[in-house]
Amino acid sequence: MYDIVKKEVLSPGVLLFDVAAPLIAKKCQPGQFVILRIDEDGERIPLTIADFDREAGTITLIFQEVGHTTRQLGALNKGDAILDLVGPLGKETHIDNFGTVICIGGGIGVAPVYPIARAYKQAGNKVISIIGARNADLLILEKEMAAVSDELIITTDDGSKGRKGLVIHPLQEMIDAGMKIDLVMAIGPVIMMRSVADVTRPHNIHTIVSLNPIMVDGTGMCGGCRVSVGNKNKFACVDGPEFDAHQVDFNGLMARQRMYHDHEKTERCGGGSCKCNK
Amino acid sequence: MQQVKHKMPEQAAEERRRNFNEVALGYEAETARAEAARCLQCKTAPCRQGCPVEIDIPQFIKHIKDGDYDAAIDEIKAKNNLPAVCGRVCPQEDQCEKFCIMGKKGEPVGIGRLERFAADYAMAKGREDKAEIPAEVLGKVAVIGAGPAGLTTAGDLARMGYKVTVFEALHAPGGVLMYGIPEFRLPKTIVQQEIAALRKLGVDIQVNAVIGKSYTIDELLNEEGFDAVFIGTGAGLPHFMDIPGENLNGVYSANEFLTRVNLMKAYKFPQTGTPVRVGRSVAVVGAGNVAMDSARTALRLGAEKVYIVYRRSEEEMPARHEELEHAKEEGVEFRLLTAPVQVLGDDKGWVKGIECIRMELGEPDESGRRKPVPVEGSNFVLDVETVVMAIGQGPNPLVQNTTPGLSVNKRGNIVADEAGATSKEGVFAGGDIVTGAATVILAMGAGKKAAAKIHEYVQNKKTAR
């Protein structure tokens, strides 16, 4: 059992947990993830590691209540425990001094970007971060991102905080202004990552995205997380989760993420009549 | 004397094809004794040469005949840590029973059925193992993977007096016995009871521990104080065909399909959290035991039509005869000499069919089986909504990639000798990770040999000190 030692509501429906997991905290690196199972009947879901404290032996998980399991997880409190937690899984982010790195986080995607941005900063890069959300209430980790970035740009869809618009708009402007960009790291909804890839592709700016497809085991055993990268199938759990954005088949990935969407609705909610908006 | 085996009662095909309860129901005591009486008690015991874990077969059968079931299970357990499992899933027709003298004129003694009877008897009675663990601890051994190979090594070493820790990546021990073989062939409570018995021997099982991530092998040997490591990580990496349409929604690897249903109990969704989708018709590609398991699982999930698509003919099918017969009885349809060309999708990215081509058998290939060659222009489409790829599994590279000095062959399997020794000192391996995908009992045999070798290695090292 893995104890929840801290619970914080970051924004409506977005929660932060610190979980006691000394072995994972000792080993994990930016870019890696865990798989958890809440109880005996639970499903296994992957979550990226938003932070870690090696001394305290805790890892930080930030998640949005979007489905059955994340809602069930959100109902737990400090002092409760999670039955199974396995990790660190996946390859760690390649950290080096590249020069100027743009770190982009959309919505809940800011959480995994944070430790990566911090590591880039520590490695001597100039880090410019762009974080975005639908509105000001949903924006997370603003202070933390500011602390590890040379410059922080905020965008919201409705303009309630920072610039009105999408995360790709400031990126496009930097490129148009002729800024020398050595690397772009983008994590967020698939559609956002696809847009970022579309913006940087014509300029040959090396761009990395972190994928979070449907997974069962997270160790390369099921192949459910397969995604076409450069026309070859890769398993996001062991070959990734980070890939060259210009090689990823985002449309295929989006289709696969919908695999259980309707099924869950029908089976769990009697065809959606319960209005739980699943 | 009766020339055929006593029949084991089983659920009728029409009933069982829609439920996940065990198909075969096991002998009653009276039938077991009658079957045991068919054993000739040959002095030479040819059956024993077919048993990879070296059970004294005539002896345990004699105990059953005499009605001393406790003695029977003690005899089996002296060699085999997982008898209730082996009695159900061993291909006895290729092992012990193949050598039975009774099989020359009629059917061999039902050794597997008798093993199962003894194991189930002991479990039902809640009988504890008669094992005397030496007081002195001989050493500390780490086992990677809680499947058939690893559990066997762990059990044998524990009986010898070693402190054994088994590291398992998934949340439950058992490996393929838990995620792969379906409930209707091997109930998961049986697997967990066998494992509970190993824990009683002092075996410590750490779940959620991915070696290569949580610890490396070098860390286990150099920092965690283990004298030796056994790698039994199995054949866990699913193969795909590399044909167009394989990433459509509705295409599963057999590993994913079976893991969802067996380990995660998706057949009870939404009572359990893991969903699985099965359409009205399903194509399972391949004809091994895993393919049969997938096809029969699909039926039980409610599919109306389930096809086995196989490029060779029935004669070349790798599945056990019994599995094949069970699948046929339950209504699985066989499309033999048929190979998939591509998976067809609808505009939303879902499977709507599988295009196949007919094959004919040509000259024998390197496996000795006649090579299937496509018949030009014979393409046709099977209308299916789900495709399960059951064309084999390779080795998961996680441990090998993080263990310098460990030799692997070109397929990625760990190179180990007959006794399980690898190229790296103190590191042993056995089962599917060495041989490629094979059977539960062969993995157990390898685990047993490795346990003996590990004992020898650790004691030599201690004497040399």
Side-chain angles (χ1 to χ4, degrees):
Chain A
M1 298 292 273
Y2 301 83
D3 291 333
I4 297 165
V5 296
K6 177 180 160 188
K7 177 182 181 177
E8 199 181 310
V9 179
L10 297 186
S11 74
V14 177
L15 300 169
L16 177 150
F17 279 177
D18 281 350
V19 182
L23 208 55
I24 301 174
K26 184 177 157 196
K27 291 277 179 151
C28 67
Q29 297 293 339
Q32 292 186 300
F33 66 95
V34 291
I35 282 189
L36 65 80
R37 193 173 74 123
I38 299 172
D39 57 30
E40 205 46 63
D41 281 335
E43 68 177 326
R44 295 168 64 99
I45 60 160
L47 289 176
T48 40
I49 301 170
D51 206 352
F52 46 87
D53 184 334
R54 301 208 199 280
E55 272 172 30
T58 58
I59 61 168
T60 303
L61 303 174
I62 294 177
F63 61 94
Q64 192 165 16
E65 295 174 298
V66 287
H68 180 77
T69 299
T70 44
R71 254 190 288 269
Q72 196 190 345
L73 190 62
L76 298 180
N77 289 302
K78 181 180 166 179
D80 291 338
I82 296 165
L83 179 60
D84 293 299
L85 187 64
V86 57
L89 299 171
K91 291 183 176 165
E92 58 194 77
T93 309
H94 173 54
I95 302 291
D96 207 335
N97 189 350
F98 298 100
T100 300
V101 180
I102 314 286
C103 291
I104 303 176
I108 193 78
V110 180
V113 163
Y114 167 62
I116 297 172
R118 182 175 60 191
Y120 281 143
K121 181 72 189 152
Q122 283 165 356
N125 292 283
K126 179 180 179 188
V127 174
I128 301 174
S129 297
I130 309 171
I131 61 173
R134 285 211 309 279
N135 59 51
D137 283 347
L138 294 174
L139 195 74
I140 59 167
L141 299 183
E142 181 191 340
K143 264 203 316 247
E144 288 81 355
M145 285 301 289
V148 299
S149 308
D150 291 279
E151 191 187 335
L152 176 68
I153 302 164
I154 293 166
T155 67
T156 48
D157 293 5
D158 65 356
S160 52
K161 176 130 199 185
R163 294 182 43 171
K164 184 175 185 330
L166 304 175
V167 289
I168 48 169
H169 297 144
L171 175 67
Q172 185 70 61
E173 284 166 24
M174 289 177 212
I175 294 170
D176 292 343
M179 182 195 280
K180 185 178 166 296
I181 300 170
D182 297 291
L183 179 69
V184 172
M185 161 66 70
I187 308 179
V190 179
I191 204 153
M192 180 210 93
M193 295 192 282
R194 185 181 67 180
S195 306
V196 170
D198 288 342
V199 167
T200 58
R201 188 178 289 110
H203 307 280
N204 269 326
I205 299 168
H206 188 36
T207 303
I208 295 170
V209 289
S210 178
L211 308 182
N212 189 9
I214 292 171
M215 274 178 201
V216 183
D217 64 294
T219 62
M221 200 188 90
C222 80
C225 67
R226 65 193 184 275
V227 55
S228 176
V229 179
N231 290 321
K232 285 187 78 171
N233 256 348
K234 299 280 181 187
F235 290 177
C237 66
V238 286
D239 299 322
E242 293 176 5
F243 293 104
D244 179 345
H246 298 157
Q247 305 288 321
V248 172
D249 171 15
F250 288 107
N251 295 340
L253 181 64
M254 274 190 275
R256 285 188 65 79
Q257 282 190 327
R258 287 194 297 268
M259 175 115 180
Y260 296 102
H261 196 259
D262 299 339
H263 187 63
E264 293 226 2
K265 232 184 207 166
T266 335
E267 295 288 316
R268 259 194 228 288
C269 320
S273 55
C274 71
K275 309 260 186 298
C276 71
N277 291 323
K278 216 174 272 172
Chain B
M1 193 178 308
Q2 186 172 328
Q3 289 298 316
V4 293
K5 280 183 207 176
H6 286 81
K7 282 218 171 336
M8 180 161 56
E10 54 184 38
Q11 275 197 78
E14 202 34 56
E15 190 182 329
R16 74 185 191 232
R17 67 196 288 271
R18 295 296 184 214
N19 72 53
F20 277 88
N21 301 334
E22 195 173 10
V23 168
L25 301 171
Y27 280 153
E28 297 291 334
E30 200 180 321
T31 327
R33 285 207 305 274
E35 182 62 23
R38 291 183 65 230
C39 175
L40 300 173
Q41 294 290 320
C42 313
K43 282 273 178 299
T44 50
C47 49
R48 291 192 67 181
Q49 64 183 281
C51 180
V53 294
E54 304 155 3
I55 297 172
D56 189 340
I57 294 165
Q59 195 57 39
F60 97 75
I61 292 181
K62 183 172 183 301
H63 289 311
I64 292 179
K65 190 182 113 194
D66 297 344
D68 190 352
Y69 310 134
D70 292 285
I73 191 64
D74 286 338
E75 187 63 56
I76 296 171
K77 278 240 164 177
K79 293 289 186 182
N80 183 352
N81 292 307
L82 309 169
V85 170
C86 290
R88 286 170 169 81
V89 304
C90 269
Q92 289 99 7
E93 64 279 9
D94 291 327
Q95 312 266 327
C96 48
E97 295 179 17
K98 184 173 155 183
F99 299 95
C100 177
I101 300 295
M102 288 294 286
K104 292 215 183 320
K105 282 195 177 152
E107 284 185 357
V109 175
I111 301 171
R113 294 172 183 184
L114 292 172
E115 181 182 30
R116 171 186 166 147
F117 168 78
D120 287 0
Y121 160 84
M123 262 186 201
K125 205 175 152 192
R127 189 171 176 279
E128 294 212 0
D129 260 8
K130 194 188 84 183
E132 281 156 34
I133 308 289
E136 186 202 356
V137 176
L138 294 182
K140 206 176 144 194
V141 178
V143 169
I144 321 301
L151 292 175
T152 301
T153 309
D156 277 16
L157 286 168
R159 283 172 203 274
M160 287 179 215
Y162 287 85
K163 249 184 83 57
V164 183
T165 305
V166 182
F167 296 95
E168 167 56 45
L170 290 170
H171 57 256
V176 73
L177 308 175
M178 286 302 285
Y179 74 75
I181 302 177
E183 178 78 15
F184 57 84
R185 277 217 290 140
L186 180 63
K188 301 309 144 206
T189 50
I190 300 270
V191 179
Q192 290 310 314
Q193 282 185 72
E194 300 257 51
I195 291 169
L198 286 174
R199 284 195 164 112
K200 285 220 173 100
L201 295 177
V203 174
D204 175 30
I205 301 176
Q206 303 274 336
V207 294
N208 299 322
V210 182
I211 301 305
K213 297 284 183 188
S214 310
Y215 294 106
T216 62
I217 300 258
D218 282 329
E219 283 169 341
L220 293 176
L221 288 170
N222 303 329
E223 291 165 30
E224 301 297 323
F226 288 99
D227 298 305
V229 176
F230 174 78
I231 306 170
T233 46
L237 198 76
H239 288 164
F240 288 92
M241 290 187 74
D242 264 335
I243 56 173
E246 241 175 347
N247 285 5
L248 287 164
N249 280 342
V251 182
Y252 286 102
S253 71
N255 262 5
E256 179 180 4
F257 186 65
L258 293 174
T259 299
R260 282 180 180 273
V261 180
N262 299 331
L263 180 71
M264 306 309 298
K265 303 211 179 316
Y267 62 93
K268 293 185 185 165
F269 182 87
Q271 185 196 320
T272 53
T274 306
V276 68
R277 290 220 35 180
V278 132
R280 275 184 300 111
S281 46
V282 178
V284 176
V285 181
N289 291 326
V290 174
M292 299 306 140
D293 285 346
S294 302
R296 297 171 69 195
T297 296
L299 277 178
R300 284 159 173 79
L301 291 170
E304 288 161 23
K305 280 230 173 262
V306 178
Y307 304 101
I308 287 277
V309 176
Y310 181 50
R311 64 197 179 118
R312 301 180 195 253
S313 69
E314 182 160 334
E315 208 172 299
E316 290 87 12
M317 280 193 189
R320 281 184 78 186
H321 181 71
E322 183 183 312
E323 303 308 324
L324 187 63
E325 286 307 313
H326 275 145
K328 281 183 182 168
E329 286 164 20
E330 290 170 12
V332 173
E333 293 182 33
F334 288 75
R335 293 285 180 272
L336 305 178
L337 290 166
T338 300
V341 178
Q342 64 169 324
V343 185
L344 306 167
D346 64 16
D347 52 4
K348 294 207 174 86
W350 279 88
V351 173
K352 64 169 189 186
I354 184 164
E355 184 186 330
C356 301
I357 189 165
R358 294 195 205 285
M359 311 292 277
E360 56 190 13
L361 292 179
E363 296 298 307
D365 62 12
E366 64 275 13
S367 74
R369 299 180 295 181
R370 290 176 68 191
K371 190 183 160 79
V373 276
V375 179
E376 207 66 36
S378 65
N379 296 40
F380 68 101
V381 173
L382 274 179
D383 292 329
V384 294
E385 286 110 36
T386 307
V387 173
V388 179
M389 290 294 175
I391 54 167
Q393 297 91 236
N396 189 314
L398 211 49
V399 169
Q400 297 87 301
N401 287 349
T402 51
T403 311
L406 186 66
S407 293
V408 296
N409 66 18
K410 62 178 192 299
R411 289 185 167 170
N413 292 106
I414 295 174
V415 178
D417 67 17
E418 189 72 353
T422 69
S423 58
K424 191 177 172 79
E425 198 197 322
V427 179
F428 301 79
D432 285 2
I433 191 64
V434 172
T435 57
T439 60
V440 167
I441 189 64
L442 287 176
M444 290 175 62
K448 192 165 207 62
K449 285 201 183 100
K453 189 73 188 171
I454 289 167
H455 173 54
E456 183 192 312
Y457 165 80
V458 174
Q459 295 317 309
N460 281 345
K461 201 170 77 170
K462 297 215 157 154
T463 331
R465 228 175 252 162

